[in-house]
Amino acid sequence: MSDNIYYEKSIGLWMSDKKSQKLNWKELIKACNSHGYNLVKLDLEQAFEDQGKIDVFLHKLTDVIAAADQGDAKAAKIIRRVEQYLSNHPNITVIDPLDNVRILLNRYYYYSILQDESSFKSHGIFTPAFAEFPTSNIKDNIEIMRERGVRFPVICKPTIAHGSKSAHEMILIFNERGLSVAKPPCVVQSFVNHNAILHKVFVVGNRYHICERPSLKNFYASEDLDPIFYSTGEVCKADSQSTLSILDPNDETGIKMHLNEEKVKDVIRVIRKKIGLILAGFDVVIDNTTGNHAVIDINVFPSYDNFPNFFEHLLDCIEDTIRKSNSDCSLEENGRIEDYGGNHRPNGLINIGDSHNYEVMGMNII
Ligand SMILES: Nc1ncnc2c1ncn2[C@@H]1O[C@H](COP(=O)(O)OP(=O)(O)O)[C@@H](O)[C@H]1O
Ligand SMILES: [Mg+2]
């Protein structure tokens, strides 16, 4: 996909047609070429071997992996083929390794990883209490919640975090009676009052960018309230106008809780170390009584719409990763090591700044 110029190295990219249509290919190709790479748009239906030699495999296969893991035969065949290809070509740099991506497909699994992180508590970071409902038996589910310290109100979320629109259909439940609407397999998580502000952190290797988004207003347990159904997109998009985001007059204190960037960096380090992703994002809400920071969601290869000069940072990180793996052949399998992503300095995380200062934006979606 380059104008007759020969580039020695190639990046093979796969993402869904929907994502691909939104991508500014011209900008991406320009960034690849300026770093000496050709860009190959891969077709999952054809053998990768027939699509040219690639040095880097960059992908957003989350939905296909999720479908394969849930028994979709076509998706399973595709993933098997990709994994076989990668194991036949171990020198290809994969962003990100499929096993690391899999960790984030299951909310219960990655919440457990966050909960087990012993450093978080003393740094004022936490994952709200959560539990999984394997069945619809309300009596059992009340007991599961009690054992795990999950308190009303709760948000009920599908356990599988990717693969369909329904993965983002949430239910706010205020009492035991409301549990009848929970559809397993799902997780319930204690609701954290955060004055309707969501902080989204976008990570590319050792660089990150933070955006604020609207979120849910404060809620309290109540015997009278019926469950509230919402989809994440309706409430948390930059321009969303949901009434669920409008604070009640009593909660309008005018005091703004500030995000503590040191805490954000702590979370990034843990995600890099324990999950080993170059391309990740996570959501933080600040508990309005304690100021503690709750990590409520982690995503693979999020939409970097507002990430300033995303393509340039992506290419820099790809090169860092290749340099790192060349210089350190004793890399742990799947890259789950302290400084994965090319960052050799212990505190070398870089906030790439305020998007308002940049003209070229994020994924350059057109
Ligand atoms: N424990 C929680 N406390 C308060 N608000 C939450 C909590 N969990 C989720 N939310 C709200 O619901 C939204 C969607 O939840 P999230 O887990 O991020 O799912 P998704 O995968 O759809 O992004 C969040 O952006 C936030 O507004
Ligand atoms: Mg989210």
Side-chain angles (χ1 to χ4, degrees), residues 106-109 111-112 129-135 140-145 148 150 157-160 183-189:
N106 184 305
R107 294 187 204 267
Y108 185 87
Y109 192 30
Y111 288 151
S112 303
F130 64 96
E132 186 169 38
F133 290 168
T135 70
D140 289 354
N141 290 341
I142 291 170
E143 183 53 23
I144 292 172
M145 278 178 63
R148 295 188 54 94
V150 182
K157 314 181 182 189
T159 300
I160 302 302
K183 285 205 187 71
C186 56
V187 295
V188 285
Q189 186 178 54

Side-chain angles (χ1 to χ4, degrees), residues 210-230:
I210 307 171
C211 293
E212 256 182 39
R213 292 275 181 273
S215 186
L216 293 172
K217 66 177 183 171
N218 300 333
F219 285 102
Y220 304 89
S222 159
E223 287 307 317
D224 306 325
L225 290 175
D226 290 331
I228 296 175
F229 295 75
Y230 68 96

Side-chain angles (χ1 to χ4, degrees), residues 96-97 99-101 103-104 110-111 113-115 117 119-120 125-127 199-208 263-284 294-302 304 334-341 349:
D96 279 300
D99 282 342
N100 302 13
V101 167
I103 297 174
L104 294 190
Y110 73 74
Y111 288 151
I113 292 177
L114 292 172
Q115 196 178 47
E117 175 55 39
S119 71
F120 275 172
I125 303 164
F126 69 110
T127 313
H199 302 272
K200 291 193 84 74
V201 182
F202 300 90
V203 182
V204 181
N206 63 341
R207 299 133 204 249
Y208 66 95
K263 294 190 192 346
V264 168
K265 288 187 198 171
D266 282 339
V267 177
I268 296 174
R269 281 185 205 106
V270 167
I271 291 178
R272 283 152 56 87
K273 182 174 157 191
K274 290 196 161 178
I275 306 177
L277 293 175
I278 299 266
L279 300 179
F282 59 94
D283 297 346
V284 174
V295 182
I296 51 161
D297 187 25
I298 317 180
N299 303 114
V300 185
F301 200 156
Y304 288 93
N334 292 336
R336 256 171 255 160
I337 58 164
E338 185 75 57
D339 56 354
Y340 185 67
L349 295 171

Side-chain angles (χ1 to χ4, degrees), residues 142-156:
I142 291 170
E143 183 53 23
I144 292 172
M145 278 178 63
R146 199 191 56 74
E147 275 169 13
R148 295 188 54 94
V150 182
R151 301 219 165 76
F152 291 109
V154 295
I155 298 196
C156 179

